[in-house]
Amino acid sequence: MDIATQIKTYIDSLSEPKRSEMETLHQTILKLQPIDTLWFLDGKNDENKVVSNPNIGYGSQTMHTGGKTREFYKVGISANTTGISVYIMGIADKTFLAKTYGEKLGKARITGYCIAFKKLQDINMEVLETVIRDQLEQK
C-alpha cells in the first residue's frame, strides 16, 4: 500500500470529530507549500509491537541523535486519546516553541517539540500554520 493510501486509511479509521479535524489539518499542511516527502508511521516497532500512535509526517531532514544519523520528517501529526498532536522535529532549543509561539497559539500544551490540543477550534490556526511553514522551510 502506498503512503497516500496508508494516510487516507488511517484518517478514515478515526471517529468523528477527530477524523474531520485530522483531514482538515492534513489538507492545510499540504497546501502550505509543496511537500517533497510524505511519511506514514503505523506506531509499531520492528517486532510489530505498538509503541506509539500512528502518525503522518511531512518533509524530510537528517536527524542526529545518539551519534547516529537518519532521515525523518520535519513536521508530524497524530491523533491520540485526548486530541491531536503536531510534532515539530529537529529543534535544538527545547524552549523555542513555547517562547516563540506559546502565548499566540491558544489552548495548547507545548513541549520541546510537540503542540497538543483537544480540537482545532481551541487554537489559532494562523499561528499553527506559521509554525509548520517555518519548520518545513528549514534547510
Side-chain angles (χ1 to χ4, degrees):
M1 185 178 331
D2 70 353
I3 291 173
T5 303
Q6 289 176 314
I7 291 169
K8 180 174 178 2
T9 301
Y10 166 58
I11 291 173
D12 288 350
S13 75
L14 300 170
S15 59
E16 288 294 350
K18 209 168 286 184
R19 176 185 314 131
S20 295
E21 295 208 341
M22 283 290 287
E23 181 64 30
T24 297
L25 190 53
H26 175 62
Q27 293 303 322
T28 298
I29 295 169
L30 292 176
K31 290 176 186 170
L32 288 177
Q33 74 173 55
I35 303 293
D36 58 347
T37 307
L38 278 176
W39 300 70
F40 180 74
L41 304 175
D42 63 6
K44 297 177 183 174
N45 65 12
D46 294 338
E47 295 146 11
N48 210 31
K49 181 180 175 186
V50 175
V51 294
S52 72
N53 291 316
N55 53 89
I56 303 167
Y58 307 87
S60 185
Q61 65 183 326
T62 302
M63 300 282 290
H64 304 276
T65 53
K68 298 178 182 178
T69 61
R70 70 177 181 137
E71 288 301 305
F72 203 62
Y73 57 73
K74 291 181 177 185
V75 173
I77 63 173
S78 179
N80 55 56
T81 56
T82 60
I84 296 172
S85 295
V86 177
Y87 304 105
I88 308 298
M89 304 304 293
I91 299 174
D93 178 358
K94 298 304 178 195
T95 64
F96 174 78
L97 285 176
K99 286 191 304 191
T100 307
Y101 305 104
E103 291 181 13
K104 302 177 233 172
L105 263 168
K107 200 170 163 184
R109 185 175 49 82
I110 303 170
T111 65
Y113 66 92
C114 179
I115 300 167
F117 48 90
K118 287 190 179 188
K119 48 193 170 201
L120 288 177
Q121 73 182 35
D122 289 344
I123 59 164
N124 183 326
M125 273 302 287
E126 288 181 18
V127 175
L128 184 62
E129 287 175 25
T130 298
V131 174
I132 292 167
R133 186 181 305 105
D134 289 352
Q135 183 65 8
L136 290 173
E137 290 175 351
Q138 292 287 322
K139 296 292 179 199

